[in-house]
Amino acid sequence: MSLLSGFAQNEAPKGKLVYCSYSCRRPAMGGNNYCELIADSGAVPKVRVVLWENCRWHDEAKQEFTVGQQDVAKMQRLLKDIEIWKLNGYHHDEMLDGAPTYRIYQEYSSGEKFNASWVGHDIKGEALDAYATIEDYFSLWREMVESKAEQ
């Protein structure tokens, strides 16, 4: 079953990006992985990576990295290029037991918030592409956390 909760916004956000994340939550102690860019006004921007797969047998691996304003600007450009605001309110749930839930979320200094989430196989291509773009942005930091966790 697929439905749009809320409404898709037809215009790009007016404010400055202050938060962006993507996550994959797996039920039945399968874990919750996410990466987030936190760029609150007046604070030094940072990236937080949390990896917690197969949490019955592994501890959570997490780390924070200080980043520059150029990293925030890069993410904001990426989100604009993929027109992320058009996915606002997208929610798709095929009610599959044990399937992971994917989510992308952003906040702007103007107060605008954008959220999309899904579970299943028949997912909107734009949502999958947006998730892949955001995931790729965080890949350098995620790889550092994964490497450290393997040691």
Side-chain angles (χ1 to χ4, degrees):
M1 176 181 198
S2 180
L3 50 102
L4 285 175
S5 59
F7 58 92
Q9 185 164 328
N10 295 323
E11 295 181 20
K14 308 265 186 290
K16 179 180 175 274
L17 181 69
V18 295
Y19 182 85
C20 180
S21 67
Y22 80 97
S23 66
C24 176
R25 184 180 54 79
R26 299 181 187 284
M29 300 293 287
N32 184 23
N33 295 332
Y34 64 92
C35 295
E36 55 189 357
L37 171 66
I38 305 164
D40 295 322
S41 180
V44 175
K46 62 185 170 184
V47 164
R48 179 181 298 136
V49 177
V50 178
L51 306 176
W52 199 23
E53 295 176 351
N54 299 317
C55 51
R56 285 184 211 136
W57 300 282
H58 300 290
D59 291 334
E60 178 180 75
K62 65 181 174 181
Q63 191 169 351
E64 284 188 5
F65 303 89
T66 300
V67 297
Q69 288 298 331
Q70 72 276 8
D71 296 302
V72 178
K74 178 181 177 183
M75 175 57 92
Q76 189 158 358
R77 277 191 311 276
L78 285 171
L79 296 173
K80 182 179 180 187
D81 290 347
I82 62 174
E83 298 179 329
I84 195 76
W85 59 90
K86 292 182 178 179
L87 289 170
N88 188 35
Y90 177 69
H91 178 74
H92 180 89
D93 190 348
E94 293 176 14
M95 306 295 213
L96 300 174
D97 286 339
T101 300
Y102 295 89
R103 180 178 188 232
I104 52 179
Y105 181 76
Q106 305 83 47
E107 294 181 7
Y108 292 83
S109 60
S110 58
E112 296 165 292
K113 297 177 182 181
F114 300 88
N115 185 45
S117 63
W118 56 91
V119 177
H121 303 288
D122 190 25
I123 308 305
K124 191 181 224 183
E126 297 90 341
L128 296 173
D129 292 345
Y131 189 93
T133 298
I134 295 168
E135 183 179 42
D136 185 61
Y137 169 87
F138 287 108
S139 64
L140 171 70
W141 297 289
R142 183 177 171 132
E143 288 169 9
M144 286 191 278
V145 174
E146 287 171 340
S147 171
K148 186 177 175 182
E150 291 172 0
Q151 295 176 356

